[in-house]
Amino acid sequence: MKDVMGKVVLVTGGALGMGRLVAERFARDGANVVLWDVDAAALDKAAAELRASGANVFTDVVDVSDRGQVYEAAAKVKAEAGPVDVLVNNAGIIRGGLFLEVSDEEHLKTMEINFNAHMWTLKAFLGDMLARDSGHVISMSSAAGIAPTPYEASYCASKAAVLHLTDTLRNEVKAIGRNGVRFTAICPSLVSTGMFMGGVAPRLTPWLQPEEMADRIYRAYHRNKATLMEPLMVKSVPLLRALLPSQAVYLVGRLLRLNSAMKDCRGCGT
């Protein structure tokens, strides 16, 4: 187990859902927690509850899709809390529906929050980690970034991009001799936080409970796990895609109800 006492842990989308739960686990063990979110009221509530338990909490209202806001808020964090030791890129949204029926604005917003924001926070904080050769980036991808899932094309694309960015940076920092900076990609199936309203869990992939998933993420951090895929069925997807032709992958998705799981999901943000 790593000692997180006094570490600065920044969580985007930290006021609610998985972000809030992961932040709680770091705060419980003595980390200084920084919460970013666009929901000011939820942010104030989360901070008050964490402080009541004895946590040291910093907050800021930040739209992580806005590069300027990210860089401005990052400078504020460094001045008030110190260099970030753990970056949890958690903020995300989903806008479900047929690709051609989802508006251009919703497609763009999905990519801006789910993927582009990771680049801006990494540009803001990764340099300090590399200079110290110490730090950890936890990136929320998704099983949808591995398994092609109809009715959420831009969401799948954004999460696949997060997974590949994380894997690439892991290799890149090693290539320049910075072995102390770690990266963990989180790839869960459906977590019952309310984000996937209207969705139906595919066969063999039951809904994941938020508290349990947060525990698994925290354990993955402590174990320096490169990729966390949950539940078990998700772990088999890369192998199936490598071994089977595309038509067979489609048929497996149909059998498992994956191809229709998101048909009625319109989603929300975290």
Side-chain angles (χ1 to χ4, degrees):
M1 296 289 286
K2 299 180 183 180
D3 182 6
V4 303
M5 180 66 70
K7 299 284 188 182
V8 177
V9 180
L10 189 150
V11 184
T12 68
L16 298 166
M18 292 306 304
R20 163 70 183 275
L21 292 173
V22 171
E24 284 178 0
R25 279 143 181 81
F26 279 101
R28 177 190 63 203
D29 290 340
N32 299 318
V33 176
V34 181
L35 305 179
W36 284 2
D37 208 289
V38 292
D39 188 332
L43 198 59
D44 288 343
K45 180 181 179 182
E49 291 175 353
L50 286 172
R51 287 172 182 143
S53 67
N56 191 23
V57 185
F58 301 82
T59 65
D60 206 350
V61 178
V62 183
D63 177 357
V64 291
S65 68
D66 185 322
R67 180 177 50 182
Q69 283 193 40
V70 168
Y71 292 164
E72 182 178 349
K76 183 178 176 182
V77 167
K78 294 176 188 182
E80 296 182 356
V84 168
D85 297 291
V86 182
L87 170 62
V88 184
N89 274 320
N90 166 77
I93 63 170
I94 179 172
R95 295 293 183 264
L98 289 169
F99 175 74
L100 293 177
E101 294 178 0
V102 175
S103 70
D104 293 356
E105 291 73 20
E106 288 176 316
H107 281 310
L108 286 171
K109 198 66 174 176
T110 297
M111 295 303 297
E112 287 168 354
I113 293 176
N114 292 3
F115 175 65
N116 290 3
H118 288 238
M119 293 195 293
W120 311 146
T121 58
L122 284 162
K123 290 291 289 290
F125 299 113
L126 182 57
D128 293 335
M129 293 182 184
L130 293 177
R132 303 190 310 269
D133 196 17
S134 175
H136 202 125
V137 178
I138 301 173
S139 302
M140 292 300 294
S141 180
S142 169
I146 305 167
T149 309
Y151 305 101
E152 53 177 13
S154 52
Y155 180 79
C156 288
S158 68
K159 294 302 187 177
V162 166
L163 179 58
H164 203 61
L165 176 66
T166 305
D167 289 344
T168 300
L169 287 177
R170 184 185 302 111
N171 290 345
E172 183 172 292
V173 299
K174 288 180 180 178
I176 62 173
R178 295 296 189 270
N179 295 314
V181 180
R182 308 288 185 155
F183 294 84
T184 300
I186 310 299
C187 301
S189 62
L190 301 181
V191 183
S192 57
T193 59
M195 184 173 180
F196 300 96
M197 294 182 298
V200 177
R203 292 185 177 94
L204 304 182
T205 55
W207 285 91
L208 298 169
Q209 296 307 306
E211 293 278 355
E212 183 179 355
M213 192 63 211
D215 286 339
R216 292 178 180 178
I217 291 170
Y218 196 48
R219 286 197 298 269
Y221 159 76
H222 280 289
R223 295 170 180 172
N224 292 322
K225 194 173 180 67
T227 309
L228 175 65
M229 299 182 184
E230 294 291 345
L232 180 62
M233 185 61 195
V234 176
K235 304 179 197 298
S236 69
V237 173
L239 181 62
L240 291 174
R241 292 192 65 185
L243 295 177
L244 299 178
S246 60
Q247 182 61 21
V249 172
Y250 171 79
L251 292 174
V252 170
R254 183 175 177 181
L255 176 66
L256 297 179
R257 201 170 58 192
L258 175 66
N259 296 347
S260 59
M262 294 292 104
K263 185 175 181 180
D264 297 318
C265 176
R266 292 301 174 263
C268 61
T270 62

